[in-house]
Amino acid sequence: CCLGSSAVATETLKNLVLPGIGRFTVVDSAAVEAADLGNNFFLEEADLNKSRAEAVCRLLQELNPDVVGAFLNKSPMVAVQEGAEFFRNFTMVVACQLPEAACSSLGDICQQLNIPVIYITSLGFVGKIRLYISEHPVCETKPDSELGDLRLTDPFPELRQFANSIDLASLDNLRHGHVPYVVLLIKALDAWREQNSGKKLPKTKEEKDKLKEILNGWRRNPDELNFDEALDNAYKAWVPYTIPDPVQSLLELKTSNLKSDFWVVARAVSQFVRDCGKLPLAGSLPDMACLTEWYVKLQEIYSSRAGGDCAAINAHIAGIQREIGAEGGVSPDYVQRFCRNAQYAEVFRFRSLSEELQPPVNVEDGGPDWAEEIDDEESLIPWYFALRAAERYRQEREHFPGALAGNGEAALSADVAALTQLASSIVDSYKVENLAVESKYLEEIVRYGGCELHTTSSVLGGIAAQEAVKLISKQYSPLNNTLLYDGLHGKSQVLEF
């Protein structure tokens, strides 16, 4: 459900329709005005004075005939006032250009229905995106840098046996140059431990360099790519195995949604960790320079171990489902996917907009580090308060600051003064020393006069659509919880309020 049909709404929907979102509904009672034709690419001159929701819905559907679009000629404000009954059949809400009070009410409705909501504000060259869902579990966060799950520091018996079966000294040059780097690192770590009795892993730079010296000492010629890979991945041999903090927090969390697949599997993994001290093995193996027979054997070893861990998880799941009286089982594919990504699983819990609007929000409560933001000249915090002041102004006067003023500085000064007073009121409520909004930010907001620029809305719409896909697919880490965008300087910043 998309509340609003302005440029930022259509840009968001465009980026959802093209990949095939399934279906969407545009809710808006506005008629197409001349100003809309200048910033909304999904309107034509022939649409002037007609329903904007109907016009954008028609052109959006032309992008992808497999997507079903619908529209309602209803004010978004009225839809919010109708409450949960109106939104019950939707899986997500995208709210564009709604006043602060309406956004807060909508957040309460979506919390009741347990559906995500994305708020988007686009004003001149600046804007913000705010995400909210009370609880968002993700078993595939897919971080940019992955340490992997090779268990080099504490090999399981099958891996240890395979590593011990390869005698480097007896290999000919061809096979020596194709020993998997996994085996090289296990053997190098064993050799290092023999030289440093009582120590389990290298910690200092000297100790780490010594491990690399052992690897280089075994090297027969500089063309052995497997040794290059071992040196590049040497850090995996001294990073101790730990359960990541987000995963540890997940395993200890309490939730009311006990029967969902995610939480049933998470509870089973928690029991597995209590029994084994480790997460289930991922079972994936990176590419490496080695003989095919050795690589296939390694794949079999990791896959077999991962399969055994997954079977243990399934046994725990069966017991849990009997305990909670759940009908039907969890999909084996889902269990396998969870186990494969267990070290990157995470639960995101967002503060509601109602909580955000009741300062002070301190670092201890999950808010920004105000002292750091005040000292950072690159921080976009001033735009956050300027936009909130503009929304408060709009709520009180039913138009944005500068929208009804003339073009001269004198004509805008009254709105600047009113906006400054609102901004000061908002900032003062946080009771943070030296927190203030410079007048240049407020003057810029007034100069915008409530206009929406297509370039700004295009950027915000692309980001919002990406976050919507994350929330729907429950893959990748969503932004938590507010993104501020400064198109004047081409900067963005994510902050948690």
Side-chain angles (χ1 to χ4, degrees):
C1 174
C2 184
L3 300 179
S5 57
S6 66
V8 74
T10 55
E11 287 299 317
T12 303
L13 287 173
K14 175 196 74 176
N15 289 288
L16 293 172
V17 170
L18 284 171
I21 193 63
R23 59 180 63 242
F24 67 90
T25 301
V26 182
V27 180
D28 201 357
S29 60
V32 178
E33 300 177 357
D36 294 323
L37 301 179
N39 67 9
N40 196 328
F41 284 178
F42 291 90
L43 294 172
E44 300 174 326
E45 193 171 348
D47 296 322
L48 201 60
N49 300 321
K50 295 180 181 178
S51 165
R52 194 168 68 182
E54 180 180 3
V56 300
C57 181
R58 183 187 73 253
L59 291 181
L60 282 166
Q61 286 186 96
E62 291 183 5
L63 295 175
N64 191 339
D66 293 328
V67 174
V68 178
F71 67 92
L72 290 174
N73 284 313
K74 176 180 290 190
S75 167
M77 300 293 291
V78 172
V80 173
Q81 290 170 3
E82 290 182 11
E85 196 58 38
F86 179 84
F87 296 97
R88 194 173 301 280
N89 294 324
F90 297 113
T91 55
M92 173 178 286
V93 178
V94 178
C96 303
Q97 311 289 60
L98 286 192
E100 200 172 70
C103 288
S104 182
S105 299
L106 178 61
D108 295 338
I109 293 169
C110 291
Q111 181 179 22
Q112 177 186 341
L113 299 175
N114 195 32
I115 59 176
V117 57
I118 301 177
Y119 308 102
I120 315 173
T121 299
S122 177
L123 185 59
F125 287 104
V126 297
K128 69 175 180 177
I129 297 172
R130 172 68 150 87
L131 271 59
Y132 174 70
I133 183 172
S134 56
E135 182 180 276
H136 182 62
V138 183
C139 73
E140 292 182 85
T141 55
K142 301 184 179 180
D144 292 334
S145 59
E146 297 183 8
L147 180 63
D149 190 21
L150 298 176
R151 308 285 171 97
L152 301 182
T153 58
D154 185 19
F156 47 92
E158 299 91 337
L159 180 58
R160 165 62 67 189
Q161 184 179 358
F162 176 72
N164 290 343
S165 69
I166 299 177
D167 180 13
L168 294 179
S170 64
L171 297 176
D172 59 39
N173 288 343
L174 176 63
R175 296 176 74 82
H176 189 271
H178 289 83
V179 176
Y181 79 76
V182 168
V183 173
L184 293 176
L185 289 176
I186 291 173
K187 286 183 172 295
L189 188 57
D190 290 343
W192 181 88
R193 285 170 174 164
E194 288 179 6
Q195 297 175 11
N196 298 267
S197 58
K199 294 186 177 181
K200 292 185 176 181
L201 296 173
K203 293 182 179 180
T204 66
K205 183 180 183 302
E206 291 74 17
E207 291 174 342
K208 294 172 183 177
D209 288 342
K210 186 61 180 177
L211 180 71
K212 292 182 179 180
E213 287 178 15
I214 292 172
L215 285 168
N216 281 318
W218 292 341
R219 194 170 195 162
R220 294 181 182 175
N221 66 73
D223 295 329
E224 293 182 315
L225 296 179
N226 56 335
F227 280 87
D228 288 336
E229 291 177 342
L231 292 168
D232 290 340
N233 291 276
Y235 66 96
K236 296 178 181 178
W238 59 63
V239 175
Y241 179 88
T242 56
I243 296 176
D245 290 341
V247 182
Q248 191 65 55
S249 300
L250 181 161
L251 298 179
E252 296 170 357
L253 277 177
K254 304 297 181 183
T255 181
S256 58
N257 195 13
L258 294 174
K259 294 186 178 182
S260 74
D261 286 356
F262 180 91
W263 285 110
V264 168
V265 180
R267 186 176 167 189
V269 170
S270 180
Q271 293 179 0
F272 180 89
V273 170
R274 282 199 298 271
D275 295 341
C276 305
K278 295 180 180 179
L279 294 168
L281 184 69
S284 56
L285 192 66
D287 291 335
M288 60 187 73
C290 71
L291 295 177
T292 302
E293 61 182 277
W294 281 339
Y295 189 79
V296 171
K297 182 61 178 177
L298 265 180
Q299 277 188 319
E300 290 175 352
I301 290 170
Y302 277 96
S303 179
S304 176
R305 181 72 178 198
D309 289 353
C310 193
I313 298 292
N314 277 310
H316 286 304
I317 289 172
I320 292 168
Q321 290 188 308
R322 285 194 299 270
E323 178 187 328
I324 63 177
E327 297 180 1
V330 181
S331 164
D333 289 341
Y334 183 79
V335 177
Q336 186 180 43
R337 185 155 55 92
F338 195 111
C339 292
R340 190 183 303 125
N341 297 278
Q343 61 184 327
Y344 306 119
E346 190 170 354
V347 172
F348 298 88
R349 288 184 168 174
F350 298 80
R351 288 172 54 84
S352 70
L353 197 59
S354 299
E355 292 173 317
E356 176 184 334
L357 300 181
Q358 295 175 356
V361 183
N362 302 312
V363 179
E364 295 78 11
D365 301 322
D369 185 336
W370 295 111
E372 181 180 335
E373 296 300 330
I374 291 169
D375 293 337
D376 184 4
E377 295 182 357
E378 298 296 315
S379 174
L380 300 186
I381 278 285
W383 283 121
Y384 169 77
F385 289 112
L387 287 169
R388 279 199 58 192
E391 290 169 353
R392 188 78 59 86
Y393 183 104
R394 176 192 179 194
Q395 187 171 307
E396 292 180 358
R397 310 194 184 195
E398 298 186 349
H399 64 83
F400 277 108
L404 303 182
N407 293 325
E409 292 294 329
L412 298 175
S413 61
D415 283 5
V416 171
L419 191 63
T420 301
Q421 186 175 0
L422 288 172
S424 297
S425 174
I426 294 170
V427 169
D428 290 345
S429 68
Y430 282 79
K431 298 180 174 60
V432 176
E433 189 177 354
N434 297 325
L435 184 62
V437 182
E438 292 183 53
S439 59
K440 64 180 181 180
Y441 296 97
L442 303 174
E443 291 169 0
E444 190 72 16
I445 290 289
V446 173
R447 275 196 290 269
Y448 294 152
C451 75
E452 184 177 342
L453 300 181
H454 176 264
T455 49
T456 304
S457 294
S458 179
V459 173
L460 291 171
I463 298 172
Q466 177 176 277
E467 296 305 315
V469 171
K470 290 179 185 177
L471 294 173
I472 292 170
S473 64
K474 295 189 176 180
Q475 295 185 16
Y476 296 94
S477 300
L479 64 86
N480 190 3
N481 53 27
T482 301
L483 177 136
L484 300 171
Y485 174 68
D486 174 7
L488 288 165
H489 302 95
K491 298 191 299 184
S492 65
Q493 183 178 4
V494 176
L495 292 166
E496 184 174 357
F497 292 98

